[in-house]
PDB file of all heavy atoms in Angstrom:
ATOM      1  N   VAL R 624     281.516-111.442  45.972  1.00 96.00           N
ATOM      2  CA  VAL R 624     282.843-111.996  46.285  1.00 96.00           C
ATOM      3  C   VAL R 624     282.672-113.370  46.957  1.00 96.00           C
ATOM      4  O   VAL R 624     283.367-114.329  46.617  1.00 96.00           O
ATOM      5  CB  VAL R 624     283.634-111.047  47.209  1.00 96.00           C
ATOM      6  CG1 VAL R 624     284.965-111.673  47.616  1.00 96.00           C
ATOM      7  CG2 VAL R 624     283.832-109.701  46.530  1.00 96.00           C
ATOM      8  N   LEU R 625     281.713-113.453  47.867  1.00 97.00           N
ATOM      9  CA  LEU R 625     281.487-114.716  48.574  1.00 97.00           C
ATOM     10  C   LEU R 625     281.179-115.844  47.580  1.00 97.00           C
ATOM     11  O   LEU R 625     281.693-116.957  47.716  1.00 97.00           O
ATOM     12  CB  LEU R 625     280.345-114.563  49.590  1.00 97.00           C
ATOM     13  CG  LEU R 625     279.919-115.849  50.317  1.00 97.00           C
ATOM     14  CD1 LEU R 625     281.072-116.436  51.133  1.00 97.00           C
ATOM     15  CD2 LEU R 625     278.716-115.603  51.229  1.00 97.00           C
ATOM     16  N   VAL R 626     280.345-115.548  46.572  1.00 96.00           N
ATOM     17  CA  VAL R 626     280.000-116.573  45.592  1.00 96.00           C
ATOM     18  C   VAL R 626     281.258-117.070  44.876  1.00 96.00           C
ATOM     19  O   VAL R 626     281.447-118.282  44.701  1.00 96.00           O
ATOM     20  CB  VAL R 626     278.987-116.031  44.550  1.00 96.00           C
ATOM     21  CG1 VAL R 626     278.843-117.000  43.393  1.00 96.00           C
ATOM     22  CG2 VAL R 626     277.646-115.783  45.198  1.00 96.00           C
ATOM     23  N   ILE R 627     282.114-116.134  44.489  1.00 96.00           N
ATOM     24  CA  ILE R 627     283.325-116.536  43.760  1.00 96.00           C
ATOM     25  C   ILE R 627     284.232-117.380  44.658  1.00 96.00           C
ATOM     26  O   ILE R 627     284.777-118.409  44.241  1.00 96.00           O
ATOM     27  CB  ILE R 627     284.057-115.282  43.213  1.00 96.00           C
ATOM     28  CG1 ILE R 627     283.160-114.635  42.139  1.00 96.00           C
ATOM     29  CG2 ILE R 627     285.420-115.648  42.643  1.00 96.00           C
ATOM     30  CD1 ILE R 627     283.548-113.235  41.751  1.00 96.00           C
ATOM     31  N   VAL R 628     284.370-116.970  45.934  1.00 97.00           N
ATOM     32  CA  VAL R 628     285.181-117.741  46.880  1.00 97.00           C
ATOM     33  C   VAL R 628     284.585-119.141  47.069  1.00 97.00           C
ATOM     34  O   VAL R 628     285.299-120.147  47.045  1.00 97.00           O
ATOM     35  CB  VAL R 628     285.285-117.012  48.244  1.00 97.00           C
ATOM     36  CG1 VAL R 628     285.949-117.899  49.284  1.00 97.00           C
ATOM     37  CG2 VAL R 628     286.054-115.710  48.080  1.00 97.00           C
ATOM     38  N   LEU R 629     283.263-119.196  47.228  1.00 96.00           N
ATOM     39  CA  LEU R 629     282.607-120.497  47.419  1.00 96.00           C
ATOM     40  C   LEU R 629     282.800-121.389  46.196  1.00 96.00           C
ATOM     41  O   LEU R 629     283.085-122.589  46.327  1.00 96.00           O
ATOM     42  CB  LEU R 629     281.105-120.324  47.670  1.00 96.00           C
ATOM     43  CG  LEU R 629     280.675-119.730  49.014  1.00 96.00           C
ATOM     44  CD1 LEU R 629     279.175-119.466  49.016  1.00 96.00           C
ATOM     45  CD2 LEU R 629     281.053-120.644  50.168  1.00 96.00           C
ATOM     46  N   ALA R 630     282.655-120.800  45.003  1.00 96.00           N
ATOM     47  CA  ALA R 630     282.817-121.587  43.772  1.00 96.00           C
ATOM     48  C   ALA R 630     284.234-122.157  43.706  1.00 96.00           C
ATOM     49  O   ALA R 630     284.439-123.335  43.384  1.00 96.00           O
ATOM     50  CB  ALA R 630     282.517-120.738  42.547  1.00 96.00           C
ATOM     51  N   ALA R 631     285.233-121.328  44.047  1.00 96.00           N
ATOM     52  CA  ALA R 631     286.619-121.782  44.012  1.00 96.00           C
ATOM     53  C   ALA R 631     286.852-122.902  45.030  1.00 96.00           C
ATOM     54  O   ALA R 631     287.506-123.914  44.745  1.00 96.00           O
ATOM     55  CB  ALA R 631     287.562-120.608  44.304  1.00 96.00           C
ATOM     56  N   LEU R 632     286.271-122.719  46.209  1.00 96.00           N
ATOM     57  CA  LEU R 632     286.373-123.733  47.258  1.00 96.00           C
ATOM     58  C   LEU R 632     285.760-125.052  46.769  1.00 96.00           C
ATOM     59  O   LEU R 632     286.305-126.137  46.981  1.00 96.00           O
ATOM     60  CB  LEU R 632     285.600-123.216  48.476  1.00 96.00           C
ATOM     61  CG  LEU R 632     286.062-123.627  49.861  1.00 96.00           C
ATOM     62  CD1 LEU R 632     287.509-123.249  50.071  1.00 96.00           C
ATOM     63  CD2 LEU R 632     285.172-122.939  50.908  1.00 96.00           C
TER      64      LEU R 632
END
Side-chain angles (χ1 to χ4, degrees):
Chain R
V624 176
L625 175 61
V626 169
I627 293 165
V628 172
L629 289 173
L632 211 56

